[in-house]
Amino acid sequence: MLRILVLAGVALSMVLGAAAIAAAPTGTGGLPPWHFQMTHKEVESFTDYGPYKTFSNGDLETYSGLFVGRKENVQFFFKDGKLIRIGVYLYEGQDIKAAAGVWGQTYETLKSKYGSIELPDIRVDSPGTELAASVVAAAAGGNVDVSGKSQMAPYKQPSDVFVFASFLRGEVQGQVFYYVIVHYDPPHG
């Protein structure tokens, strides 16, 4: 009898748990499982993606976040204790050619996920022209070398998030570093 009650209790717990998950609000944009407006504690509650490191300004990072099925460095930016931006840092280093290669791969990843990509730093004869990742990489590498920044974004954005990518050059303690980042922001407008 006790075993039947225990089994019934387990079954009831499973049903109630499933109902709670179904009733929980779906994310309000972001990079699943994280969504905008989460607190630090809520972000860190996804322990499978930890450990999390806290920056001196209160932002967070983990090297175990998932981006297209791979573990990547994911950083979380907060304002007034609420998550306002997620950044996936795909490259951080001093080799501009390696960074440009990652930029080309990021272009392919975003294009496969969202469709046509706006590349403001590349001029083409006809709008909608599809470019090879190697062309995008080379053009952005040259642009970053001169101006310090290139960006791209899907023309068609999801309704719950604004996605864009940055290829940046910065100086840290007198040395030049390059960064390739995919940003997730709340939707504009």
Side-chain angles (χ1 to χ4, degrees):
M1 181 71 171
L2 180 59
R3 182 175 177 184
I4 293 171
L5 289 174
V6 169
L7 290 174
V10 169
L12 181 59
S13 292
M14 290 172 66
V15 168
L16 291 176
I21 290 169
T26 57
T28 55
L31 176 66
W34 305 285
H35 58 84
F36 303 122
Q37 298 300 308
M38 287 181 129
T39 65
H40 292 82
K41 190 174 185 174
E42 290 170 327
V43 168
E44 291 177 302
S45 72
F46 294 99
T47 56
D48 289 350
Y49 302 105
Y52 296 86
K53 172 187 166 191
T54 303
F55 292 104
S56 60
N57 67 356
D59 292 338
L60 296 172
E61 118 181 292
T62 179
Y63 282 88
S64 296
L66 289 182
F67 178 73
V68 292
R70 294 185 318 267
K71 284 188 177 183
E72 298 290 354
N73 175 359
V74 178
Q75 297 184 12
F76 306 92
F77 303 90
F78 295 86
K79 182 176 180 182
D80 300 326
K82 300 291 184 175
L83 182 61
I84 59 162
R85 172 178 274 178
I86 300 170
V88 181
Y89 284 68
L90 300 171
Y91 183 87
E92 295 180 83
Q94 295 185 284
D95 184 341
I96 191 169
K97 287 184 181 177
V102 171
W103 184 253
Q105 293 167 358
T106 303
Y107 166 75
E108 287 293 332
T109 298
L110 293 178
K111 187 171 74 168
S112 72
K113 187 167 175 123
Y114 300 106
S116 294
I117 303 296
E118 179 181 10
L119 298 159
D121 301 322
I122 298 177
R123 304 291 181 249
V124 293
D125 291 334
S126 59
T129 300
E130 294 296 329
L131 300 172
S134 59
V135 171
V136 171
N143 189 59
V144 167
D145 201 28
V146 172
S147 72
K149 176 173 142 181
S150 276
Q151 292 189 305
M152 65 180 155
Y155 279 107
K156 184 174 167 73
Q157 290 285 330
S159 62
D160 62 348
V161 65
F162 181 76
V163 180
F164 69 101
S166 299
F167 180 0
L168 308 169
R169 181 187 74 226
E171 195 171 302
V172 179
Q173 298 178 343
Q175 296 192 6
V176 174
F177 283 83
Y178 300 95
Y179 307 89
V180 174
I181 311 157
V182 176
H183 305 277
Y184 294 87
D185 283 0
H188 296 122

